Amino acid sequence: DAGVTQSPTHLIKTRGQQVTLRCSPKSGHDTVSWYQQALGQGPQFIFQYYEEEERQRGNFPDRFSGHQFPNYSSELNVNALLLGDSALYLCASSLWGRRNTGELFFGEGSRLTVL
Amino acid sequence: GDSVTQMEGPVTLSEEAFLTINCTYTATGYPSLFWYVQYPGEGLQLLLKATKADDKGSNKGFEATYRKETTSFHLEKGSVQVSDSAVYFCALTRGGATNKLIFGTGTLLAVQP
């Protein structure tokens, strides 16, 4: 049973560029959430997707956008990169609604460095 | 807004020592509480959880009790091992459909042989 997979694992960009990160949820899961984990900090909620729609959003600017595909996989896009966007980006999958046990399953993350 | 505060690390212990990592929370209502662990080079994984007051979550020798009167969820283990070295995160969720997690800043535990 495949867990949550993310790609790429590491990437380096320069300020002003755009980046796309990808995530495949755990088999059987239909909900994908994205978190940003800055060095030495806890993960911060970016947004969550279910049925290809953004369902909830954290306190992140519009430069951060996402998408969910019919197969439940998801992308996180960040435009106009800033140095402060350097972080580990975590994808988490779960079930929606009453089937939700409260547990999130996390991938290993994509480490983004902005120079 | 909701928040989680946990003790700063690093926490350095000798093998077989007793571990406590403090966690307190601020939230209205009755959140569910979690401890997640992040081993070096791996993703976050759930260690234990408690969904209502006085519940005790336990796993792999770790325990935490949901104390609503003190808004706390302290993590304990009676005898740590070198393999327990990791970063531990306390978190809460209000529940509902979105189950968005709010994390503390994490506590690095280093266990020496």
Side-chain angles (χ1 to χ4, degrees), chain A residues 6-111:
Chain A
Q6 293 186 242
S7 63
T9 54
H10 296 82
L11 68 167
I12 299 173
K13 294 286 188 178
T14 57
R15 280 179 296 174
Q17 285 190 310
Q18 179 263 347
V19 68
T20 297
L21 308 178
R22 296 176 176 82
C23 172
S24 292
K26 178 179 168 63
S27 178
H29 283 184
D30 54 14
T31 303
V32 173
S33 302
W34 287 93
Y35 289 78
Q36 181 195 65
Q37 186 179 9
L39 196 61
Q41 300 297 313
Q44 299 289 316
F45 176 77
I46 302 175
F47 43 54
Q48 183 181 67
Y49 279 83
Y50 170 67
E51 289 189 332
E52 303 178 48
E53 290 187 14
E54 184 182 292
R55 299 293 176 158
Q56 190 171 4
R57 188 179 184 90
N59 188 26
F60 280 81
D62 292 345
R63 298 186 298 109
F64 289 77
S65 63
H67 189 78
Q68 185 180 34
F69 300 94
N71 67 352
Y72 308 120
S73 67
S74 177
E75 288 182 349
L76 164 66
N77 300 292
V78 187
N79 294 323
L81 285 167
L82 304 174
L83 296 179
D85 295 331
S86 295
L88 181 67
Y89 289 85
L90 297 168
C91 173
S93 75
S94 60
L95 292 169
W96 183 261
R98 293 185 181 276
R99 299 165 299 152
N100 172 9
T101 64
E103 178 179 1
L104 295 183
F105 290 79
F106 285 85
E108 294 184 15
S110 295
R111 183 162 298 282

